[in-house]
Amino acid sequence: DRYGLNGTEAGDSAALIDALAVSTEADCPIMLPGGRIYWDGTAITNDRVRLYGSGTPRVNAGKTALVGGSIIEGPLICTGKYIDLRNFGVDLGTDGSGDDADGIKCTAATYNTGEHIHTENLVTLCKNKTSAFHSMLFEGYQKHTGGNLVGIHGYFGCVITNREVQLTTIHTDTNNETGLYLKSDTSFGTNSNIQIDSVRTEGADEFGVRVQ
């Protein structure tokens, strides 16, 4: 809240942009306060992004909103070479004002040019089950570490198109088509050397885990 994060749509986006500029220059993480932070969905193009929440939220019983911890309301899109996201949630659920869009989307700006992405203790809730969007999308990075990723709703629960993938737990729930999608293509990246310790998918209509 040093930069003016105050839980209002009018002030939070500008405050977070200011904090990102300082964080990139100083190469230090942004510590997100507990509660809701309203984000307008602008893509974060900083080469280095480090966002650390004060606690990972949980999904309410109706799967319409996240509660507790640090919550970003609005789609989080990052395109930098070095991304480090920990201990927060992104809420686009029907109880909030978030868009019908990807929850967390980290995609290197140019094919396979991302250096390292770390994603740890994250939960995302998309607007509804049938929206053709990703709850979590990570693509184009040479190395992907972390774990305890939870993706709820959306057409795809979690999509990974990275190399040297070392993750602990992935949990997806109530997805329309695919739970976990490990994908390689010529547009965004190539999967290789994948180690995921535990995967749990629930409610996927077509594929619990899909490898392409």
Side-chain angles (χ1 to χ4, degrees), residues 12-13 16-17 20 30 32 37-46 49-53 66 70-80 83-92 98-107 117-126 134-139 141:
D12 283 355
S13 293
L16 188 53
I17 288 172
L20 283 163
I30 295 173
L32 301 173
I37 299 164
Y38 293 91
W39 178 243
D40 63 10
T42 299
I44 299 171
T45 59
N46 303 50
V49 176
R50 297 168 69 187
L51 295 176
Y52 294 4
L66 300 182
S70 297
I71 300 169
I72 295 175
E73 185 165 313
L76 182 64
I77 303 170
C78 301
T79 65
I83 307 294
D84 188 355
L85 309 176
R86 309 185 189 200
N87 308 323
F88 65 87
V90 170
D91 190 354
L92 306 182
D99 297 329
D100 193 359
D102 295 327
I104 296 177
K105 178 180 179 179
C106 297
T107 175
I117 181 170
H118 184 87
T119 55
E120 180 180 339
N121 300 329
L122 302 176
V123 55
T124 62
L125 175 65
C126 279
H134 311 81
S135 186
M136 295 181 169
L137 172 62
F138 311 111
E139 58 189 4
Y141 289 87

Side-chain angles (χ1 to χ4, degrees), residues 2-166:
R2 175 182 174 185
Y3 292 92
L5 294 172
N6 55 18
T8 67
E9 293 186 61
D12 283 355
S13 293
L16 188 53
I17 288 172
D18 289 344
L20 283 163
V22 174
S23 172
T24 299
E25 184 176 352
D27 192 21
C28 64
I30 295 173
M31 307 303 295
L32 301 173
R36 287 187 176 266
I37 299 164
Y38 293 91
W39 178 243
D40 63 10
T42 299
I44 299 171
T45 59
N46 303 50
D47 212 31
R48 295 177 180 268
V49 176
R50 297 168 69 187
L51 295 176
Y52 294 4
S54 61
T56 309
R58 67 185 187 279
V59 184
N60 69 355
K63 297 178 183 176
T64 60
L66 300 182
V67 293
S70 297
I71 300 169
I72 295 175
E73 185 165 313
L76 182 64
I77 303 170
C78 301
T79 65
K81 288 185 177 181
Y82 302 92
I83 307 294
D84 188 355
L85 309 176
R86 309 185 189 200
N87 308 323
F88 65 87
V90 170
D91 190 354
L92 306 182
T94 55
D95 281 357
S97 60
D99 297 329
D100 193 359
D102 295 327
I104 296 177
K105 178 180 179 179
C106 297
T107 175
T110 307
Y111 170 65
N112 269 349
T113 59
E115 295 291 335
H116 185 194
I117 181 170
H118 184 87
T119 55
E120 180 180 339
N121 300 329
L122 302 176
V123 55
T124 62
L125 175 65
C126 279
K127 183 70 75 176
N128 57 63
K129 177 179 177 179
T130 58
S131 61
F133 295 99
H134 311 81
S135 186
M136 295 181 169
L137 172 62
F138 311 111
E139 58 189 4
Y141 289 87
Q142 299 295 324
K143 187 173 184 179
H144 187 177
T145 56
N148 192 23
L149 308 179
V150 180
I152 310 295
H153 293 341
Y155 198 73
F156 303 103
C158 181
V159 177
I160 297 173
T161 306
N162 295 319
R163 300 177 179 178
E164 300 294 339
V165 177
Q166 300 172 6

